[in-house]
Amino acid sequence: MGGSSGTRTDNPSLKELFRLDSELSMTNAPVSTAHPSPDGVSPTPVPRILVVEDDEDIARLIVMHLEDLNADLLHCDQGDKALQLALSNAWDLIVLDLRLPGMGGLDICRQLRERGNITPILMLTAKSSELDRVLGLELGADDYLSKPFSPLELTARAKALLRRTRMNRHQENAELEQNGAAEPLKLGPFCICDRTHRVTMHGDRIELTSREFDLLLHFARQPGRVFRRSELLDEVWGYGHDGYEHTVNTHINRLRGKIETDPGNPQYVNTVWGVGYRFQVEP
């Protein structure tokens, strides 16, 4: 595991390996370390992942497989402490169980988004908890996995979210180097700044989650194009997976609720029945 959770013994117990005491709050820990890049010149930042799960066996499974991503990992099994850690440190991904002692995962997700924290969140839910999944996505979670889940799927989804974070940062840096500042995309009443993740509509700020922003930007870059749900999963979420198209539907509804005067009769994000969605702005 990445060296963020204290000194390890040769044969640590689960409690020793995953216990999060108050003195290990990491408030003064460095933001990240780095691995050499393939060319041996520029270091590649190590992704930092916060794993919030109170079941020790599941936590051990998650950490074991996410270690393969060369990530710096920290595990927390208490909701209140997890919120403090999420707010006081820079993370590239938060793996968040919904059923936690103290503060639940839905409340953590809500408070992070209300405070402007856009760190990608991968929710872990019970297989039968469809209402929790929908509510979590409505509150701003980026993706979810139902328990029991495949370790390969866990890794794939984490990689997709981390890749998106890395690409966003790379694009921001490239734009800064080339232009000094990224030019916002202006389309109809919208002004979308990729560098700052800031969206205004008719001059008023629109608060979007990270996934909602990515979805709107993807639409706005290709106005008039009809996207199938599977295409949006692949191009915005970073993977394609049968049976998860309703994830797209939930985020579309959430986005409409923020940019449409009448979400039930949308002006900008339109449904093309039997196909998918299209973003359209009158000239």
Side-chain angles (χ1 to χ4, degrees):
M1 188 191 313
S4 299
S5 54
T7 303
R8 294 185 293 179
T9 60
D10 291 335
N11 295 292
S13 67
L14 282 174
K15 288 186 177 180
E16 290 170 336
L17 188 59
F18 298 119
R19 185 179 64 240
L20 181 64
D21 295 321
S22 58
E23 65 267 26
L24 300 179
S25 65
M26 291 184 63
T27 301
N28 298 317
V31 171
S32 66
T33 55
H35 290 312
S37 64
D39 58 13
V41 178
S42 301
T44 301
V46 175
R48 302 187 71 236
I49 302 175
L50 177 62
V51 177
V52 186
E53 169 61 65
D54 65 320
D55 186 298
E56 292 181 342
D57 291 331
I58 295 177
R60 183 176 187 177
L61 176 71
I62 294 170
V63 170
M64 179 176 66
H65 287 280
L66 293 187
E67 278 181 333
D68 294 339
L69 304 180
N70 293 320
D72 197 6
L73 291 143
L74 182 71
H75 170 250
C76 177
D77 60 5
Q78 297 289 326
D80 295 348
K81 291 182 180 179
L83 178 63
Q84 294 173 10
L85 285 170
L87 290 171
S88 61
N89 296 273
W91 303 99
D92 298 289
L93 174 63
I94 299 173
V95 180
L96 179 63
D97 185 35
L98 295 190
R99 307 298 184 188
L100 296 165
M103 181 179 294
L106 290 175
D107 288 330
I108 293 173
C109 184
R110 179 188 295 110
Q111 291 206 33
L112 288 176
R113 297 315 190 215
E114 287 178 351
R115 300 185 193 193
N117 187 303
I118 61 171
T119 303
I121 295 175
L122 175 59
M123 292 189 312
L124 304 179
T125 71
K127 187 174 183 180
S128 59
S129 302
E130 182 176 0
L131 180 60
D132 283 345
R133 292 198 298 271
V134 172
L135 183 56
L137 293 171
E138 289 284 342
L139 290 173
D142 296 88
D143 203 354
Y144 74 88
L145 271 177
S146 298
K147 299 177 183 177
F149 51 81
S150 158
L152 290 178
E153 188 174 3
L154 166 70
T155 303
R157 290 174 181 268
K159 287 171 83 172
L161 291 171
L162 290 172
R163 182 169 57 250
R164 189 197 60 180
T165 301
R166 186 168 59 250
M167 290 175 63
N168 286 343
R169 290 176 180 169
H170 176 75
Q171 184 173 352
E172 290 171 6
N173 292 336
E175 289 171 342
L176 285 173
E177 289 179 5
Q178 181 176 356
N179 305 318
E183 286 294 327
L185 174 61
K186 296 180 180 180
L187 192 66
F190 298 97
C191 182
I192 307 170
C193 183
D194 191 15
R195 183 175 64 84
T196 62
H197 274 224
R198 180 184 176 93
V199 177
T200 60
M201 183 177 178
H202 299 294
D204 297 325
R205 178 79 177 268
I206 304 294
E207 296 291 344
L208 300 178
T209 67
S210 178
R211 185 70 77 190
E212 291 162 1
F213 178 88
D214 288 344
L215 189 58
L216 176 61
L217 181 61
H218 194 69
F219 277 134
R221 282 174 169 166
Q222 302 178 75
R225 175 183 166 184
V226 178
F227 292 93
R228 296 182 182 276
R229 292 173 180 82
S230 58
E231 290 176 324
L232 291 171
L233 273 175
D234 184 55
E235 296 169 11
V236 177
W237 273 255
Y239 60 84
H241 191 80
D242 291 341
Y244 283 85
E245 284 82 1
H246 57 281
T247 299
V248 176
N249 300 348
T250 299
H251 281 86
I252 292 289
N253 291 337
R254 179 80 173 177
L255 180 60
R256 282 173 171 165
K258 295 182 178 182
I259 68 172
E260 302 283 2
T261 302
D262 179 5
N265 185 29
Q267 178 181 357
Y268 304 111
V269 182
N270 299 303
T271 300
V272 179
W273 296 106
V275 184
Y277 298 100
R278 174 177 57 212
F279 183 76
Q280 196 159 341
V281 176
E282 294 297 329

